[in-house]
Amino acid sequence: MIRSTLCSLRNFSALAPLLQVALVSFVLGLVFVLIEAWTSTLVDYGLEGASPDSLSAWVVRVEAGALLVEDLDSGERQRLRLSPELTRLQVPLAQLPGQPLVLSHLRGYLLGCTRDDQPWCVARCDSAEQCQQRLRERESCLGMLGFAWLGSLVCLLAHGLGSRRFYRHSAP
């Protein structure tokens, strides 16, 4: 679609194929820049103004991307989301069910956990702002932007080196 749109532009189809690919990659990079600029400040994870909280709980079970825990004092159950951006596990997930842990969490996101003063999972952020920034980085388009512009650079270099070789061989 992008290539066909660019082909309708003047002289695009007259360019060498590698230059066409470089131009398309560059345009895709610009699209990713716009997406990143638009979405990086709009994503809200509901962490504004929150402060980490802790509780002592049994891990009832491990679900897809979450822990179901039961508070030791009140018996209340809650689901704490596991995010690799916020928590680094020190033990396998299969080892968590049935264990009494002291958990730190931030509005439903698990940050850290200990058992007998030994860390079983370690928080990767200390405040709501840091955690929100780490979650935003996960959804960033910057990787795609870098890949698109790297593709442009590779194509331009390949075109430049290819045309140099061609001119060198064609000289009498």
Side-chain angles (χ1 to χ4, degrees), residues 67-116:
L67 294 179
L68 183 62
V69 298
E70 183 176 309
D71 192 317
L72 291 176
D73 298 329
S74 68
E76 180 183 335
R77 288 187 175 191
Q78 64 180 337
R79 186 175 184 263
L80 297 176
R81 292 175 288 220
L82 290 170
S83 174
E85 287 76 24
L86 305 182
T87 308
R88 182 172 38 96
L89 293 172
Q90 304 285 78
V91 298
L93 281 175
Q95 198 172 340
L96 293 177
Q99 300 296 325
L101 300 173
V102 176
L103 306 163
S104 66
H105 61 96
L106 184 68
R107 287 204 181 144
Y109 285 97
L110 177 67
L111 296 180
C113 58
T114 59
R115 178 162 189 244
D116 299 326

Side-chain angles (χ1 to χ4, degrees), residues 11 39 47 60 67 70 119:
N11 297 330
T39 61
L47 301 179
V60 176
L67 294 179
E70 183 176 309

